Amino acid sequence: MKTNRPILAKSAQRGSSPLTLLDHTRQVKAAAEAIAAHLGYEVRLAGLGAALHDLGKAHPHFQTKIYGEEVPLQEQFPHRHELSSLGFLPLFDRADWPTLVDMVVAHHKSIRHDARERGILDLQRLGGPWIANHLLDWETWSGEALAVLNELQLSVALREVPRTEAEAALRYAVEHCRAQLRSAEWSAWRGVLMAADHFASALQHNTDKQLQGLFDKPNLGYFQQRTDNKLFPLSQTSADDQRPHTLVVAPTGAGKTDYLFRRCRGRVFYTLPFQASINAMFERVRAAETGGHVRLRHAMSKLVEGRTGRDVAEKLLQDKVGASVKVLTPHQLAAVAFGLPGYEAVLLDVRGCDVILDEIHTYSDKAQAMVLAIVDVLVQAGCRLHVGTATMPTALYHEVRRRLGGPAAVYEVRPPDEVLDSFDRHEVFKIPRNTEHPEALTATVDTLLRQAFAAHEKVLIICNTVLGAQAEFERLQREFPAVKAMLLHSRFRRLDRAELEKKLTAEFDGQPGPCFVVSTQVVEVSLDISFDRMITEAAPLDALVQRFGRVNRRRSPETIGKLKPIHVIEPAPKTLPYTREVVLRSYAQLPDAALLPERDLQHRLDIVYPDLTLADIDTHLIWDQGELIEGALTHRSRSMLVEALEIETAACILAADRAEYLNEKTSWERRIELEIPISWRTIQYNKNRQHYERLDFGAAPFVVPQPLADYQRLGLQLLEPDSFL
């Protein structure tokens, strides 16, 4: 029955009032028209698709649910408001129907193989009165939807749509979708609507304001001006080569980041391998005052940890289209290769942009295969790719260059040997293990530390696992209680991680010693820190080189030619999370009590990695020679990517944070700050897992009853499995 209450599109959220269907549609229409205009699509069609996309929310089934009422038993059926919206197709020019269906029919769900079998072709296959259900009480509620269209003042002749025409429109949509399954091309129009809907849903009444500056090119003048500095050889290397792609192999501290930005001509996507490293890069880009929207994207969060006092809208924009510069990990681009939900919007966003892939080698075999698959799609999408690394085995280098189009398409930059010689800065010492007297290893480390602290040195100690780092930190604090100390790894609350990184640069790297920091692999990439000495567990050579880059990092006339000590501990019987054979080959390539020449690194790397071994993930990809395998308007679940790459993550919270996490007044941003991301395998193999409460709320975190004081000292404490994330 018709009521006098407003027709809602969204219930109250994030402390805001409920949003009417008219207001939401206006916002999506504004966003869709702006996005289409920026991307070169017909603005008229974008506006019509946005006007149509949610009209089915006027259906009494949807309104009953959004008002929190119980749906009568006889009306309990799978309702897709998008499909009800398609009943209004007869109002539009028949020539526009294919585009309008593309925009509307699957802006939430795949047209088939939906996880809950609610795609339009799933419903058609299952049979039953799904068309009648989606047009239930059509004569009553369709008038309320028409009133919304009337307020939008479209150049469309509005009239009542007879039920028979609405039914025929839904049958047309079924046949159109069947044809799209045979399409080898992806639907850009689906991407336009999805991007606009997500944008407007996040910003709501702030949509119009935030559309300003969308898709603006960044001002990269800061990087373009940082040239001709003899301390940073790449600043003296021209970036004007007209080939679209770039391959740069250069030592840490050679000016790689600036050079990669100098090679960019448009909007920039900057990728780094670890979530832990992208905060620092994000702040670095912000400091460059590039203008436009500068955003950061975490795998599990939508905000920058620890940031306060900024407009909430800035946080809500992080994963939306149109950023001038976006800092992220390649996993956030994986949608384009694996066909995950929203991949069309991601493709529209990144198409034709500059994409920087920094430290591309730093992945497992499966993740490395993923990155190469992303490279293939981005090249097809007309992106300019700029790959930078300090260490890349020749086999991988050749494969990347081949996928980028070979020497004709790739500008290759590598400093000559005489320049590399000026980056010789580390003297490597091996620390042997004594299997009969294990305590000898501890005594050797402690002796080195006493000497270092007496000389007021800053020392970085790197362990391969979180558990190892926690244990070593506790031991060293007992042994050296008067020395300033810090522990850094991946298992801190997101709000604490940002503060730890700031403290690392301000109080440890930025102040004279003595001090020590115990860390895991999280310091390998991006963090601009420089220590006087390092003690590290053995690891693959490429990872070790990245670690070494945190010692004697700062180049000046006084530091060039000066060597700082690196102590590498002989591999233990178990080298988790790394493959033991690779770690043993890497350790064998290290000198002992001697310089590690920069010009020799490539040869040593190629001995460790003589061949390129990629995991077979082809069955999970949606492309074959640039064409879609499964057709348009479909997507695959995100769980498929997790399964393919074995990157599944879980979340924990502290018992001390449980009440705040569950409080209905706690914002979703705050809940994300309280979460501690871990690998699923970590919690799966934890002997205490069955004793942990798991909340059916938010990210469904496990509640760990660890005393807050212990957490503040060591971070989350869990049993370590055979992997590290």
Side-chain angles (χ1 to χ4, degrees), residues 600-627:
D600 290 351
L601 282 181
Q602 190 64 58
H603 173 69
R604 296 172 189 261
L605 272 172
D606 292 340
I607 293 175
V608 175
Y609 299 104
D611 304 303
L612 179 62
T613 303
L614 295 176
D616 183 7
I617 62 171
D618 288 352
T619 57
H620 301 286
L621 304 177
I622 62 166
W623 305 95
D624 183 14
Q625 303 298 316
E627 295 186 350

Coordinates of all heavy atoms in Angstrom, one line a residue, residues 600-627:
D600 N 78.8 -6.1 -7.8 CA 78.7 -7.6 -7.9 C 77.3 -8.1 -7.5 O 77.1 -9.4 -7.7 CB 79.7 -8.2 -6.8 CG 81.1 -8.0 -7.3 OD1 81.4 -7.5 -8.4 OD2 82.0 -8.3 -6.4
L601 N 76.4 -7.3 -7.1 CA 75.1 -7.8 -6.6 C 74.4 -8.5 -7.7 O 73.7 -9.6 -7.4 CB 74.3 -6.6 -6.0 CG 74.7 -6.1 -4.7 CD1 73.7 -5.0 -4.2 CD2 74.6 -7.3 -3.6
Q602 N 74.4 -8.0 -8.9 CA 73.6 -8.7 -9.9 C 74.1 -10.1 -10.2 O 73.3 -11.0 -10.3 CB 73.7 -7.9 -11.2 CG 72.7 -8.3 -12.3 CD 71.2 -8.1 -11.9 OE1 70.8 -7.0 -11.6 NE2 70.5 -9.2 -11.8
H603 N 75.4 -10.3 -10.3 CA 75.9 -11.6 -10.5 C 75.5 -12.5 -9.3 O 75.2 -13.7 -9.6 CB 77.4 -11.5 -10.6 CG 78.1 -12.8 -10.7 ND1 78.0 -13.7 -11.8 CD2 78.9 -13.5 -9.8 CE1 78.7 -14.8 -11.5 NE2 79.3 -14.7 -10.3
R604 N 75.6 -12.1 -8.1 CA 75.3 -12.9 -6.9 C 73.8 -13.2 -6.9 O 73.4 -14.4 -6.6 CB 75.7 -12.2 -5.7 CG 77.2 -11.9 -5.5 CD 77.5 -11.0 -4.3 NE 78.9 -10.6 -4.3 CZ 79.9 -11.2 -3.6 NH1 79.6 -12.2 -2.8 NH2 81.1 -10.8 -3.6
L605 N 73.0 -12.3 -7.3 CA 71.5 -12.5 -7.3 C 71.2 -13.6 -8.3 O 70.4 -14.5 -8.1 CB 70.8 -11.3 -7.7 CG 70.4 -10.3 -6.6 CD1 69.8 -9.1 -7.2 CD2 69.3 -11.0 -5.7
D606 N 71.9 -13.6 -9.5 CA 71.6 -14.5 -10.5 C 72.1 -16.0 -10.2 O 71.5 -16.9 -10.7 CB 72.2 -14.1 -11.9 CG 71.6 -12.8 -12.4 OD1 70.4 -12.6 -12.0 OD2 72.2 -12.1 -13.2
I607 N 73.0 -16.1 -9.3 CA 73.4 -17.4 -8.8 C 72.3 -17.9 -7.8 O 72.0 -19.1 -7.9 CB 74.8 -17.3 -8.1 CG1 75.9 -17.0 -9.1 CG2 75.1 -18.6 -7.3 CD1 77.3 -16.8 -8.5
V608 N 71.8 -17.0 -7.0 CA 70.7 -17.4 -6.1 C 69.5 -17.8 -6.8 O 68.7 -18.7 -6.5 CB 70.5 -16.3 -5.0 CG1 69.3 -16.7 -4.1 CG2 71.7 -16.1 -4.2
Y609 N 69.1 -17.0 -7.9 CA 67.9 -17.1 -8.6 C 68.3 -17.4 -10.1 O 68.1 -16.5 -10.9 CB 67.0 -15.9 -8.5 CG 66.5 -15.6 -7.1 CD1 67.1 -14.6 -6.4 CD2 65.5 -16.4 -6.5 CE1 66.7 -14.2 -5.1 CE2 65.1 -16.1 -5.3 CZ 65.6 -15.0 -4.6 OH 65.2 -14.7 -3.3
P610 N 68.8 -18.5 -10.5 CA 69.2 -18.8 -11.9 C 68.0 -18.8 -12.8 O 68.2 -18.5 -14.0 CB 69.9 -20.1 -11.8 CG 69.3 -20.8 -10.6 CD 69.0 -19.7 -9.6
D611 N 66.8 -19.2 -12.4 CA 65.7 -19.3 -13.2 C 64.5 -18.5 -12.6 O 64.5 -18.2 -11.4 CB 65.3 -20.8 -13.4 CG 66.4 -21.6 -14.0 OD1 66.9 -21.2 -15.0 OD2 66.8 -22.6 -13.3
L612 N 63.5 -18.2 -13.4 CA 62.3 -17.6 -13.0 C 61.2 -18.7 -12.8 O 60.8 -19.4 -13.7 CB 61.8 -16.6 -14.0 CG 60.5 -15.9 -13.6 CD1 60.6 -15.1 -12.3 CD2 60.0 -15.0 -14.8
T613 N 60.8 -18.9 -11.6 CA 59.8 -19.9 -11.3 C 58.5 -19.2 -10.8 O 58.4 -18.5 -9.7 CB 60.2 -20.8 -10.1 OG1 61.5 -21.4 -10.5 CG2 59.2 -21.9 -9.9
L614 N 57.5 -19.2 -11.7 CA 56.2 -18.5 -11.4 C 55.2 -19.6 -11.1 O 55.1 -20.6 -11.7 CB 55.8 -17.7 -12.6 CG 56.6 -16.5 -12.9 CD1 56.1 -15.8 -14.2 CD2 56.7 -15.5 -11.8
A615 N 54.3 -19.3 -10.1 CA 53.2 -20.2 -9.8 C 52.2 -20.1 -10.9 O 52.0 -19.1 -11.6 CB 52.5 -19.7 -8.5
D616 N 51.5 -21.2 -11.2 CA 50.5 -21.2 -12.2 C 49.2 -20.7 -11.7 O 48.5 -21.4 -10.9 CB 50.3 -22.7 -12.7 CG 49.3 -22.8 -13.9 OD1 48.9 -21.7 -14.4 OD2 49.0 -23.9 -14.3
I617 N 48.8 -19.5 -12.1 CA 47.5 -18.9 -11.6 C 46.6 -18.6 -12.8 O 45.6 -17.9 -12.7 CB 47.8 -17.6 -10.8 CG1 48.5 -16.6 -11.7 CG2 48.6 -17.9 -9.6 CD1 48.5 -15.2 -11.0
D618 N 47.0 -19.1 -14.0 CA 46.2 -18.8 -15.2 C 44.7 -19.2 -15.1 O 43.9 -18.5 -15.6 CB 46.8 -19.5 -16.4 CG 48.2 -18.9 -16.8 OD1 48.5 -17.9 -16.2 OD2 48.8 -19.5 -17.7
T619 N 44.4 -20.2 -14.4 CA 43.0 -20.7 -14.3 C 42.2 -19.6 -13.5 O 40.9 -19.7 -13.6 CB 42.9 -22.0 -13.6 OG1 43.5 -22.0 -12.3 CG2 43.6 -23.1 -14.5
H620 N 42.8 -18.8 -12.8 CA 42.1 -17.8 -12.0 C 42.0 -16.4 -12.7 O 41.3 -15.5 -12.2 CB 42.8 -17.5 -10.6 CG 43.0 -18.8 -9.8 ND1 41.9 -19.3 -9.1 CD2 44.0 -19.6 -9.5 CE1 42.3 -20.4 -8.5 NE2 43.6 -20.6 -8.7
L621 N 42.6 -16.3 -13.8 CA 42.6 -15.0 -14.5 C 41.3 -14.9 -15.5 O 40.8 -16.0 -15.9 CB 43.8 -14.8 -15.4 CG 45.2 -14.9 -14.6 CD1 46.3 -14.8 -15.6 CD2 45.2 -13.8 -13.5
I622 N 40.9 -13.7 -15.8 CA 39.7 -13.6 -16.6 C 40.1 -13.2 -18.0 O 39.2 -13.0 -18.8 CB 38.7 -12.5 -16.0 CG1 39.4 -11.1 -15.9 CG2 38.2 -13.0 -14.7 CD1 38.4 -10.0 -15.7
W623 N 41.3 -13.1 -18.3 CA 41.8 -12.6 -19.6 C 42.5 -13.7 -20.4 O 43.3 -14.4 -19.8 CB 42.6 -11.4 -19.5 CG 42.0 -10.2 -18.8 CD1 42.2 -10.0 -17.4 CD2 41.1 -9.2 -19.3 NE1 41.5 -8.8 -17.1 CE2 40.8 -8.4 -18.2 CE3 40.6 -9.0 -20.5 CZ2 39.9 -7.3 -18.3 CZ3 39.7 -7.9 -20.7 CH2 39.4 -7.1 -19.6
D624 N 42.4 -13.7 -21.7 CA 43.2 -14.6 -22.5 C 43.5 -13.8 -23.8 O 42.6 -13.5 -24.6 CB 42.4 -15.9 -22.9 CG 43.2 -16.8 -23.8 OD1 44.5 -16.6 -23.9 OD2 42.6 -17.7 -24.4
Q625 N 44.7 -13.4 -23.9 CA 45.2 -12.6 -25.0 C 44.4 -11.3 -25.1 O 44.0 -10.8 -26.2 CB 45.0 -13.3 -26.4 CG 45.8 -14.6 -26.4 CD 47.3 -14.4 -26.3 OE1 47.9 -13.5 -26.9 NE2 48.0 -15.3 -25.4
G626 N 44.1 -10.7 -24.0 CA 43.4 -9.4 -24.0 C 41.9 -9.5 -24.1 O 41.2 -8.5 -24.1
E627 N 41.3 -10.7 -24.2 CA 39.9 -10.9 -24.3 C 39.3 -11.5 -23.0 O 40.0 -12.4 -22.4 CB 39.5 -11.7 -25.5 CG 39.9 -11.0 -26.8 CD 39.4 -11.8 -28.0 OE1 39.0 -13.0 -27.8 OE2 39.5 -11.3 -29.1

